[in-house]
Amino acid sequence: VTKALSGLDGVTDVCVEIEMAEADIPTTPDAGISMHSGGGADAQVKTKERPLSRIKNLIGVASGKGGVGKSTVSVNLAMELKARGARVGICDIDIYGPSIPIQMGVAEAKPGVSADQQRFQPVDAYGVKVMSIGFLVDDDTPVIWRGPIVSSVVKQFLDDVDWGDLDYLVIDMPPGTGDAQLTLTQSAPLTGALIVTTPSELALVDAQKGLQMFRKVDVPVLGLVENMSHHVCSNCSHESRPFNQGGTERIVKQFGIDRLAQIPLDHDIQRG
């Protein structure tokens, strides 16, 4: 635009200002849950605002098994929401295999601490707020924690991180249906969950378990994302399906959910 306008007769200076339209973001009905503390029946109840009360929507991204591309979907979902004008954060609670810092290009970063030393300040990556256990442990140090410690870390990431005002907090969950998942669903008012799977029969069996878990704890399942759906040959354009096909159609019909996307195996995604 600057180049085109500068070439016009009589134009001596061009200044382009881009103003993002404010996104119209719905709020989950039960967002903003507060913690209460008090004495006896006649004591005045004091309310402490939780950081989550300033977040309009919390989206859990889950999978039944590892290696299906759950973190990749989380990152791309967050970046697309940001591109549409929303205020976005990513909370990585995949305690045993955190990969969000690498995928967001901030593997060497460290979260700050608030002035009162009470809360973490998330790392900024491309305008998205990021928090992960990967910032707090060395790359070559395995996280060997039992369930209660995992649960306490998940709660800390929800309550002790200064997320500020967000339209969406995308929560990258560990695979399976263990302590981290149960703690999250019991501690945070999730707007809904995305289930990520591949067409592999093994992945689909585990995806069903994750789907059923969310339904049992009354978290809406927003839909299913089929990753590594197919591969298109760069030479002959032949489309192959190395991980089988037809399984996700069976799941969406059986459980009455939507298949939101079919993402192909793509070299650019891997390189990125």
Side-chain angles (χ1 to χ4, degrees):
V1 171
T2 302
K3 195 173 181 181
L5 292 177
S6 298
L8 297 176
D9 292 338
V11 176
T12 58
D13 185 51
V14 177
C15 177
V16 178
E17 292 184 3
I18 300 176
E19 182 175 336
M20 294 291 291
E22 187 166 332
D24 182 17
I25 311 294
T27 302
T28 184
D30 54 350
I33 292 177
S34 298
M35 295 184 296
H36 300 279
S37 61
D42 297 327
Q44 184 178 2
V45 177
K46 297 180 180 179
T47 302
K48 176 185 176 184
E49 183 189 55
R50 297 183 65 183
L52 297 184
S53 66
R54 298 167 62 188
I55 301 172
K56 288 185 176 181
N57 296 281
L58 288 87
I59 309 296
V61 181
S63 68
K65 70 187 296 292
V68 298
K70 171 179 48 59
S71 297
T72 303
V73 170
S74 297
V75 165
N76 283 279
L77 175 62
M79 294 305 296
E80 175 63 17
L81 290 170
K82 175 70 173 61
R84 294 187 181 205
R87 298 164 298 178
V88 184
I90 300 182
C91 182
D92 181 6
I93 62 168
D94 191 348
I95 303 299
Y96 299 113
S99 57
I100 293 297
I102 295 173
Q103 294 193 332
M104 291 297 290
V106 287
E108 304 302 320
K110 296 295 180 186
V113 181
S114 62
D116 59 3
Q117 303 290 307
Q118 296 297 310
R119 288 179 178 172
F120 286 113
Q121 298 291 333
V123 172
D124 182 273
Y126 305 103
V128 173
K129 295 181 178 181
V130 183
M131 188 60 191
S132 169
I133 192 67
F135 293 137
L136 307 177
V137 297
D138 296 331
D139 290 342
D140 57 352
T141 302
V143 177
I144 308 174
W145 291 343
R146 292 188 183 274
I149 301 179
V150 171
S151 296
S152 68
V153 170
V154 172
K155 288 181 179 178
Q156 188 173 20
F157 276 18
L158 297 175
D159 289 332
D160 296 338
V161 175
D162 185 10
W163 293 107
D165 296 309
L166 293 179
D167 295 311
Y168 295 98
L169 180 62
V170 177
I171 303 176
D172 183 29
M173 303 171 67
T177 55
D179 295 290
Q181 290 88 342
L182 291 175
T183 300
L184 175 65
T185 57
Q186 293 167 358
S187 305
L190 289 181
T191 307
L194 289 178
I195 307 292
V196 182
T197 185
T198 68
S200 163
E201 201 62 40
L202 290 175
L204 288 167
V205 167
D206 290 337
Q208 292 180 63
K209 296 176 183 177
L211 193 156
Q212 292 286 59
M213 179 201 72
F214 284 116
R215 288 192 165 176
K216 285 186 176 180
V217 294
D218 297 322
V219 173
V221 176
L222 303 176
L224 188 77
V225 175
E226 182 183 275
N227 194 25
M228 308 182 202
S229 173
H230 56 278
H231 176 259
V232 179
C233 178
S234 57
N235 292 322
C236 66
S237 299
H238 172 70
E239 184 177 299
S240 60
R241 296 184 179 271
F243 295 114
N244 208 344
Q245 62 179 330
T248 54
E249 285 90 342
R250 185 182 73 249
I251 299 297
V252 297
K253 288 180 181 178
Q254 179 181 347
F255 292 97
I257 61 172
D258 294 326
R259 184 173 60 189
L260 302 176
Q262 290 179 286
I263 305 172
L265 283 162
D266 187 276
H267 293 298
D268 289 336
I269 294 176
Q270 172 60 26
R271 283 194 288 268

